[in-house]
Amino acid sequence: MSKPAARRLAIPSAATAVEREVRDSILNQPFGAGTVADLNLPADFVRRCADRVIIASFNERHRIVVGDAPPRQPPPPPPPTTPQSASTVRLIDGETMRDRRWAPLPPQATDILRGFKFPDDGTPVPLTPPGESAPYELRRASALIARTLAKSGLAATALEAAAVLRPFIRASPEHTLESLLHQAGLPIDLLAMLELEGPEGFPRGGCVNWLSVRLIGASPLPTARLRTALAAARLDFRPTLDSFRATDDAGCEPPLLVRLQLTRADDWLGVGDGGSLDIARQVAQLLPTVPIVLTARQDHAPLIARHAAAWSADRSRTAPITLITESVTVSEWAQDNARAGTVLRAGVRLPAAILPRYASRAEELAAFVPGDSALAASLRAAGIHVARSPLHMQGGNTIVVNDVSLGKRILLLGEAEVYRNVALGLTEPQAIDALRVELGADIAVVLPAASYHIDYEVFCVTSQTTGGITAFVGESAPAERAIVEAGILALTHAGKLDAAHQDRLLSAIKSDPPELPAVVGLLDTLGRDLLSRGGFPIELAQTMDGHTPGESAVGNFLVFLDALDSLAARAGLAEVDTLPGHLAAALIARKRAEADRIAIRHRLESLGWKVQPVPSYTSGPRGVCPLNAVNAGELAIIPTSGGFFSPIAEPAQSAISGSDRSIRLIQTAESQRRNGSLRCAMAVFC
C-alpha cells in the first residue's frame, strides 16, 4: 500500500505577499559588485533564510516589551590579583604581532570583492570593487565576475574576464593577467588549483599562464574553443594545513586546549547570566586541568585578567590561562573564525586551527567581519598552529564525527557553507569535497538549514563502551509545551489568570495538536495588556522572573511569547484565512522549519546512527537549546538557560547521560539571547 500523500499547507494570499517581499529583499541585497541574486542560491535555501527573517521581523515589531526595567547594577569587580593567582595568567599583546601595512581595518561590510582573502601578513590587497577611476576593462571584468562566478564556475568566468581584460593588457603590458584578475575579484588561489589533463592542458598552478598564452598572446585561439577545453578542468584541492584534523565533536578524547573570545570585561546582569565572561568563568571552573586561551579587546584586558586570576585563586585550577589582547573588536563566537583541531608534528598531536577565507556573518552571503579575521598571528603566539583556508566556513555549520564502526570520519555540513563556496566559483560537489578535505574527513553529509547553524540542531556522542554514535536532535513540541506551561503557571501566580483558566489552558496545550481556541484565547488575554506603543508592559514580563542570579525576566517572557506562537502554529492558526499577512507568514515559517528538522533526522538515520529526539526549543535568540553542547574528554557539557526554564535541559541531560557520558551544565542564557550558545562560544582542541 502506498503512503498517503502529505497534506499541502494552505498559504493565505496575504502571507504569500509577505514571503515574496522578504525573498526579493534578500536576493536584491548588494554583495560586492553584484547582488545575492547572482549567487545562484537554491530556492529552498532562500526560502529557509526568508523564513528566519520573517519570524525575526514579526518578533521585532509585535513581540516586544516596553517600559523601564530596574537599572542594571554592575557587579563588583573581582578582588585584586595576588602574586600566587597572577602567575597563572599569561598576557599576549596581539597588536605587536600584526603587520600594520594594511591598517586600519575596514568596517564590517558586504561591499567586498568575491575573491577577497584576509591578508595575515598585512600585505595590502584589493578589498572592494574597482572605483570609477579604475580602467573601464577592470570595472567591467569585476562586474562580470560578480554576476557570473557562482553560475558559470571558476574556469569559465576566468576565461570571460580575461577576454574583457585583453585590450587593456595589450595596451599596458606592464599589467599581468593574474594581478588584474585578482583586482577584479576572481579567487586566483582557487583558480591555481585547477588542472587540465592532456597535451594541450596545464598542470596545477598553470591556468593563468595557459589563458595568457592562448587568449592574449600573439596567436590567440577562439574563445569558444578555449571554453570547451576548460570545461574538462578539474579542481585538485589539497589541505591547507598538512595533517590537520578537525576536532571530533562526538568523541571523548581529552581536550588539549579550550579557546573563547570575550566581548566585555564584566557580566551583563551578573554571575550566572550566561554571557561571554560568565561562560569563560564556568569553563575555567569545570575544566581546571585544561589550558584556556582568551581573546579580548585591549581596553577590557586589565579587568579580564583580574577575573581570570580570581578563577585560579583557590589553587584548584592547575592549567594556565592565556589572555590575548587585541586592538580590534572581537565577537563572542570563537567557533566560527577558527575551526579547532590538531596537527601531527613529530608523532604528537598539537592544537591547530583552520581559519576561513575571512571571518563572516550571515548565511545567504558572507559579510566580512574584520576583527574576527585578524587574529592569526596572536593565535600562533598562544601555541596554536594556524593556516588560512581559501574556503569560506563558519565553524558552527561544521560537525565532525569519528565513526569507529565505519572507520570513517564524517563531516556534517550546514548547506550554507556549500553555497558560500559555490559563490567562489566551485560546483556544489567541489565545494563539499574541498571542505571535507580541508577538515580531515572521509565523508561529507549536507544538512538543510533548519537553523542558522547545524550545531543548534544536532549533538553527537560516541559511546565509550560500544563506539556507536548517537545523534541527539531537537524535538520542538515538548519543549514548546514546557515553556508555555511555565509561563502559564507564572501568570497565575501573578494574578493574571485564575486557577480554573490555568487548568483549562494546561490541558489544552498538552493535546496533540494543541487546542486552537485555548491557545488563541491565551494570546488574546495577553493582548489586553498591550500598550498603545504596541508592546507588552514590563510589569507583565516581570511575572516570569525565576529569581536566580543573572536571570532576565524580560528574556524569559520573550521566549514564552515565541514558544506560544509556535504552539499556535502547531494548533493550526497558520491556516486561518483572516490572519494579518505578517502573522500568517511567521506561523507558516515555523511549520516549515519543523519539516526541515524532520529532514535532518532522516538524513542522520541514513548514516546508520541512533537518532534520539530530545526536547529543545530552537528559535535563535528566543530559544532554549540544550543541543548547542560540546564534548570535552569524558564530559558532555550542556548549555542551560537556568532559572525559569531550567527544566528544559533535564530531558537532554538524562538522555545524554544514558549514552555513558558524564554530564555538566553551563549557563548560557545571555549568549543565546545574542543568537549563540555554548558550542558557538567554546572551541575545543583535541
Side-chain angles (χ1 to χ4, degrees):
M1 182 181 294
S2 61
K3 294 182 179 179
R7 186 168 62 89
R8 187 174 181 180
L9 181 65
I11 303 178
S13 58
T16 301
V18 172
E19 292 174 3
R20 185 184 304 112
E21 179 185 356
V22 172
R23 184 184 64 247
D24 291 348
S25 177
I26 288 172
L27 294 176
N28 290 330
Q29 289 179 99
F31 186 41
T35 68
V36 171
D38 297 320
L39 302 184
N40 203 28
L41 299 173
D44 281 348
F45 176 66
V46 175
R47 186 268 299 166
R48 286 188 266 271
C49 296
D51 282 349
R52 274 188 281 287
V53 172
I54 290 168
I55 293 170
S57 64
F58 178 81
N59 283 340
E60 289 166 3
R61 295 181 188 181
H62 305 291
R63 297 294 186 257
I64 60 175
V65 173
V66 295
D68 295 326
R72 184 175 76 91
Q73 297 297 323
T81 57
T82 65
Q84 292 84 1
S85 61
S87 65
T88 65
V89 181
R90 178 168 69 115
L91 293 175
I92 293 177
D93 184 358
E95 180 65 13
T96 63
M97 300 167 194
R98 187 171 301 116
D99 192 314
R100 303 299 293 170
R101 286 177 289 173
W102 198 44
L105 287 178
Q108 179 170 325
T110 59
D111 185 24
I112 56 175
L113 288 169
R114 194 72 54 79
F116 168 71
K117 181 179 178 183
F118 191 85
D120 292 314
D121 62 358
T123 303
V125 296
L127 172 68
T128 57
E132 288 299 319
S133 62
Y136 165 76
E137 293 88 349
L138 184 60
R139 286 183 279 124
R140 185 178 162 207
S142 183
L144 181 146
I145 290 167
R147 290 196 312 270
T148 66
L149 185 59
K151 299 173 183 176
S152 301
L154 195 57
T157 303
L159 172 64
E160 299 303 326
V164 169
L165 291 166
R166 177 167 50 190
F168 179 71
I169 294 174
R170 287 177 171 172
S172 306
E174 69 274 15
H175 294 281
T176 67
L177 177 59
E178 181 172 353
S179 68
L180 290 172
L181 289 175
H182 190 200
Q183 293 176 57
L186 196 80
I188 57 172
D189 50 351
L190 290 172
L191 186 68
M193 296 180 188
L194 295 179
E195 64 177 17
L196 181 61
E197 295 180 348
E200 296 300 317
F202 53 84
R204 190 178 191 271
C207 184
V208 172
N209 184 63
W210 186 88
L211 285 171
S212 295
V213 171
R214 286 162 175 75
L215 187 67
I216 304 172
S219 302
L221 298 177
T223 302
R225 177 177 168 183
L226 297 178
R227 186 182 301 114
T228 300
L230 282 173
R234 59 178 292 271
L235 184 76
D236 180 15
F237 189 91
R238 301 173 188 175
T240 305
L241 188 55
D242 179 53
S243 79
F244 178 79
R245 187 179 69 185
T247 291
D248 173 11
D249 292 296
C252 54
E253 295 180 8
L256 303 174
L257 184 74
V258 169
R259 188 176 81 88
L260 304 106
Q261 295 176 183
L262 306 187
T263 59
R264 57 188 302 127
D266 61 351
D267 296 290
W268 175 244
L269 295 174
V271 174
D273 66 5
S276 63
L277 180 66
D278 194 48
I279 288 178
R281 176 190 294 115
Q282 294 174 83
V283 170
Q285 295 168 350
L286 191 60
L287 302 174
T289 63
V290 179
I292 294 176
V293 173
L294 306 174
T295 299
R297 212 171 62 193
Q298 285 174 338
D299 54 329
H300 297 156
L303 185 53
I304 290 174
R306 288 174 61 185
H307 280 291
W311 303 337
S312 303
D314 62 1
R315 298 180 181 271
S316 64
R317 178 165 185 82
T318 58
I321 297 175
T322 299
L323 174 58
I324 302 172
T325 66
E326 299 281 2
S327 62
V328 297
T329 297
V330 295
S331 76
E332 185 179 349
W333 315 126
Q335 186 70 245
D336 286 335
N337 61 22
R339 185 54 167 93
T342 60
V343 289
L344 190 63
R345 297 292 182 266
V348 178
R349 282 276 161 193
L350 300 173
I354 288 289
L355 279 60
R357 190 175 189 93
Y358 56 81
S360 63
R361 292 285 178 274
E363 54 183 334
E364 72 279 7
L365 50 79
F368 172 47
V369 182
D372 282 14
S373 298
L375 309 179
S378 50
L379 292 181
R380 290 190 186 97
I384 300 172
H385 293 258
V386 172
R388 187 169 298 281
S389 175
L391 303 174
H392 284 301
M393 66 182 82
Q394 294 176 5
N397 244 353
T398 67
I399 295 174
V400 173
V401 176
N402 186 23
D403 190 329
V404 178
S405 63
L406 288 178
K408 302 286 186 182
R409 283 169 54 85
I410 314 295
L411 170 63
L412 303 180
L413 268 178
E415 61 180 330
E417 303 319 300
V418 179
Y419 308 135
R420 240 185 277 282
N421 289 291
V422 169
L424 295 175
L426 305 184
T427 65
E428 286 190 31
Q430 285 174 338
I432 294 167
D433 197 57
L435 287 162
R436 177 193 66 78
V437 170
E438 192 72 292
L439 297 179
D442 302 299
I443 299 170
V445 178
V446 180
L447 303 181
S451 289
Y452 177 64
H453 281 163
I454 59 172
D455 60 3
Y456 258 48
E457 297 292 341
V458 58
F459 175 58
C460 296
V461 174
T462 301
S463 169
Q464 298 180 67
T465 54
T466 68
I469 308 296
T470 300
F472 295 95
V473 296
E475 188 174 27
S476 299
E480 289 168 6
R481 291 188 178 98
I483 291 168
V484 174
E485 179 177 344
I488 290 171
L489 294 174
L491 291 169
T492 303
H493 182 74
K496 301 293 183 181
L497 302 172
D498 60 41
H501 193 185
Q502 169 197 284
D503 292 343
R504 288 196 302 272
L505 287 171
L506 293 178
S507 175
I509 67 172
K510 291 176 181 176
S511 299
D512 188 18
E515 296 175 13
L516 181 58
V519 176
V520 172
L522 179 54
L523 284 168
D524 288 342
T525 298
L526 295 171
R528 296 189 197 110
D529 277 321
L530 280 173
L531 304 180
S532 60
R533 287 172 286 173
F536 295 89
I538 187 70
E539 294 79 14
L540 185 62
Q542 287 172 335
T543 64
M544 299 189 187
D545 190 344
H547 302 291
T548 60
E551 188 167 7
S552 168
V554 172
N556 292 341
F557 182 71
L558 294 177
V559 170
F560 164 74
L561 289 178
D562 201 88
L564 185 57
D565 281 336
S566 287
L567 207 65
R570 195 179 300 279
L573 183 60
E575 299 173 50
V576 175
D577 288 335
T578 56
L579 287 183
H582 202 176
L583 173 58
L587 294 173
I588 290 165
R590 293 175 185 277
K591 290 180 71 70
R592 286 194 293 233
E594 280 301 290
D596 292 332
R597 292 189 176 98
I598 293 172
I600 289 176
R601 190 177 307 178
H602 292 333
R603 206 157 296 182
L604 295 172
E605 288 171 341
S606 72
L607 296 172
W609 296 347
K610 177 183 177 182
V611 177
Q612 183 168 344
V614 295
S616 177
Y617 187 60
T618 306
S619 189
R622 300 191 182 197
V624 180
C625 177
L627 293 179
N628 194 252
V630 297
N631 285 296
E634 297 180 354
L635 294 180
I637 308 176
I638 302 173
T640 176
S641 292
F644 196 72
F645 293 129
S646 57
I648 303 299
E650 291 172 0
Q653 181 180 1
S654 175
I656 295 169
S657 64
S659 62
D660 68 20
R661 305 308 303 272
S662 298
I663 304 299
R664 297 292 185 274
L665 300 180
I666 281 186
Q667 304 273 10
T668 63
E670 182 60 29
S671 295
Q672 180 139 344
R673 285 191 287 272
R674 301 175 191 276
N675 213 18
S677 191
L678 182 60
R679 186 177 184 270
C680 304
M682 178 182 176
V684 179
F685 295 75
C686 60

